[in-house]
Amino acid sequence: MNEDLLSEALAVPNVSAFFEHKVVSLDFDEGIMIVRNAADKDNKEVPFNFCVGADGAHSIVRRQLMRVVR
């Protein structure tokens, strides 16, 4: 079921998924996310309109969101 859901989501043209990357920082005001490639340690700036953090309770996405929504 997870593979089917992921396939459907990634079939949408403006949806991206990053595997083997770690979120370094998020700027919800600017809509910019910095992700680090686990293999080569390079950082990449990724613009976003909507961000889903599905990496657990201790995720950087959750921590940054808690700073914004108070």
Side-chain angles (χ1 to χ4, degrees):
M1 183 169 110
N2 284 344
E3 288 180 22
D4 290 339
L5 289 170
L6 184 59
S7 295
E8 288 295 318
L10 294 177
V12 177
N14 60 343
V15 172
S16 300
F18 294 88
F19 296 98
E20 302 300 324
H21 285 73
K22 180 177 180 170
V23 176
V24 176
S25 68
L26 283 157
D27 184 336
F28 286 101
D29 293 326
E30 297 294 323
I32 304 270
M33 175 185 336
I34 307 294
V35 296
R36 179 172 295 139
N37 185 321
D40 60 16
K41 307 295 186 213
D42 283 342
N43 288 348
K44 179 178 182 177
E45 190 173 284
V46 180
F48 69 90
N49 295 318
F50 184 78
C51 173
V52 176
D55 53 346
H58 300 287
S59 76
I60 188 93
V61 176
R62 181 174 184 258
R63 275 186 271 143
Q64 294 294 331
L65 188 57
M66 286 174 61
R67 292 175 132 182
V68 175
V69 181
R70 289 189 182 209

